[in-house]
Amino acid sequence: DKAIDTALQILNIPRTIMSSMDYSALLRQSLFSATSHPRTAGLAQLEAFKQSMSQKRFDEWFYDIKEHPRYEMMQKSGLFIADPHDPRLSAKEEAFMNNLAEKIPIAGKLIKGSERAYVGTLNKMRVDLFNRFADRYEAQGKTMENNPEFYKELSNYINNSTGRGKLGFMEAAAPVLNSLFFSPRLIASRINLMTMWANPRTYTQVPKEVRVMYMKDMAKFLALGVSTLIIAKALGADTENDPRSSDFGKIKVGNTRWDIWGGFQPYARVMSQVISGERKTTTKGEIQELNGKGFMQQNRFTPLGSFARGKLAPVPATVLDLATGRDASGQLVTVQSELLSDV
């Protein structure tokens, strides 16, 4: 078990390095909830910045939260609070699921600070949202004692909205999946949020309050995204409205593209291509049929394969690129080019 654990940690080192040196958690993993609760998001980012600079403040936050009167309630309801102090890989955020990267000379301190920022953002966001809603619904008579299922569904929704989705029957294999794919729980959260409105379980098992919360949050998220695109276009930027294009929903200025959707965009684009059997090129804007003919012989399932390949973790992706001689975009690769891209 220890050998397997060590191997998984080693495989996760490249991804941990790639996830470091920034404060991206708020507008990536937590973007969906941040658009609906901007004040809570702002306070979470401020606290994360302070924790990234101080191991002492980071440790004190964990001491304080475990003394919080609702801590046991959070645990029982399934609210995820990542704890880097815990040696178990399952207790960590998936971007930092190892204990080895922080031991790298010099860079290790920066990686450790990045982990504190990442964990601090998401933990505070989840805890503050939980307390905010618990205050509201306890005042209405809903407590953990008389309505535990309500708080379990509430925690499940908060986890999803901050990039921590459940993996279903593959839950026990999370550490292994995390070594194979870049962010399996983030993938799960995006799929859960995008399909929740069409899931029968939403209307039969999810409490009305949580269901309404989801509908309102999704409406705010879409409204803000569309408004941002409209403003960008009015200011002279290019935007793409066709979901069959890889540029769908992105802001383009010259050769620079901004994806403002926090990881949701690829799912909409892939499904549009699969359903329509067509793709729109980003260079000439041509509509190409995915019928298995022509150059590269792409069919309507090719986008699914490319999408899955693009979600591979760094090590498996590099192995596959070298084995096939091409990367996820179809470009030729060599050992030298892979090494240079990693640098």
Side-chain angles (χ1 to χ4, degrees), residues 8 13 33 46 71 73 150 153 163 175 197 206 214 224 228 241-242 256 258 260 262 289 292 298 323 337 339:
L8 293 177
I13 289 177
S33 58
L46 179 61
Y71 180 72
M73 180 179 175
F150 171 81
E153 291 295 341
W197 65 272
V206 177
Y214 162 74
L224 180 61
T228 302
N241 300 323
D242 194 327
T256 302
W258 285 277
I260 63 172
E289 290 189 25
Q298 296 187 358
S337 66
L339 290 174

Side-chain angles (χ1 to χ4, degrees), residues 212-232:
V212 171
M213 190 185 307
Y214 162 74
M215 297 298 181
K216 287 183 177 179
D217 288 354
M218 181 58 78
K220 291 177 183 177
F221 177 72
L222 293 174
L224 180 61
V226 172
S227 298
T228 302
L229 292 177
I230 292 174
I231 293 173

Side-chain angles (χ1 to χ4, degrees), residues 30-254:
S30 194
L31 178 62
F32 183 83
S33 58
T35 56
S36 297
H37 310 283
R39 184 175 182 278
T40 302
L43 293 174
Q45 187 62 74
L46 179 61
E47 178 62 26
F49 180 77
K50 294 177 180 178
Q51 290 186 19
S52 71
M53 300 296 177
S54 171
Q55 181 69 46
K56 180 181 178 182
R57 187 181 182 96
F58 183 74
D59 295 339
E60 287 177 345
W61 188 90
F62 279 93
Y63 175 82
D64 291 340
I65 192 61
K66 290 179 180 179
E67 296 297 316
H68 195 284
R70 285 204 183 107
Y71 180 72
E72 185 178 354
M73 180 179 175
M74 295 173 190
Q75 296 293 294
K76 288 182 178 180
S77 67
L79 186 74
F80 182 73
I81 301 177
D83 188 357
H85 304 95
D86 194 318
R88 296 174 302 161
L89 295 182
S90 59
K92 304 177 186 298
E93 287 289 354
E94 57 186 356
F96 293 88
M97 199 174 278
N98 73 79
N99 299 310
L100 301 177
E102 64 189 58
K103 298 179 182 179
I104 299 174
I106 302 176
K109 291 185 178 181
L110 296 175
I111 292 172
K112 188 64 176 176
S114 297
E115 181 181 24
R116 292 196 299 267
Y118 188 97
V119 171
T121 300
L122 298 178
N123 277 350
K124 183 165 176 58
M125 192 74 182
R126 291 172 188 139
V127 168
D128 286 359
L129 286 176
F130 185 89
N131 281 327
R132 177 178 176 179
F133 294 126
D135 286 342
R136 177 190 303 174
Y137 294 115
E138 283 180 348
Q140 298 176 10
K142 289 184 173 66
T143 66
M144 189 66 184
E145 288 70 28
N146 64 32
N147 206 332
E149 291 304 315
F150 171 81
Y151 286 96
K152 289 180 181 179
E153 291 295 341
L154 175 63
S155 291
N156 183 48
Y157 177 65
I158 293 175
N159 288 341
N160 271 309
S161 68
T162 54
R164 186 80 184 185
K166 289 184 177 180
L167 299 175
F169 67 92
M170 297 185 290
E171 194 69 35
V176 176
L177 290 174
N178 198 65
S179 299
L180 295 176
F181 297 95
F182 202 91
S183 300
R185 290 192 182 279
L186 178 61
I187 293 173
S189 74
R190 294 317 187 228
I191 294 175
N192 291 342
L193 290 172
M194 291 186 72
T195 60
M196 188 173 175
W197 65 272
N199 189 339
R201 181 183 180 280
T202 301
Y203 306 96
T204 58
Q205 300 181 38
V206 177
K208 177 183 177 181
E209 294 85 352
V210 178
R211 187 164 65 243
V212 171
M213 190 185 307
Y214 162 74
M215 297 298 181
K216 287 183 177 179
D217 288 354
M218 181 58 78
K220 291 177 183 177
F221 177 72
L222 293 174
L224 180 61
V226 172
S227 298
T228 302
L229 292 177
I230 292 174
I231 293 173
K233 189 173 183 65
L235 293 175
D238 292 326
T239 59
E240 175 59 74
N241 300 323
D242 194 327
R244 296 171 296 179
S245 171
S246 295
D247 283 342
F248 172 60
K250 295 180 180 179
I251 298 172
K252 181 180 177 183
V253 178

Side-chain angles (χ1 to χ4, degrees), residues 194 229 239-250 261 264-282 285-288 290 300 303 307:
M194 291 186 72
L229 292 177
T239 59
E240 175 59 74
N241 300 323
D242 194 327
R244 296 171 296 179
S245 171
S246 295
D247 283 342
F248 172 60
K250 295 180 180 179
W261 296 100
F264 285 91
Q265 186 267 5
Y267 301 92
R269 185 256 304 168
V270 169
M271 291 312 300
S272 295
Q273 292 177 342
V274 170
I275 293 172
S276 68
E278 297 175 336
R279 66 183 290 268
K280 182 178 181 180
T281 63
T282 58
E286 297 176 344
I287 304 298
Q288 298 178 343
L290 300 174
R300 68 172 60 227
F307 174 79

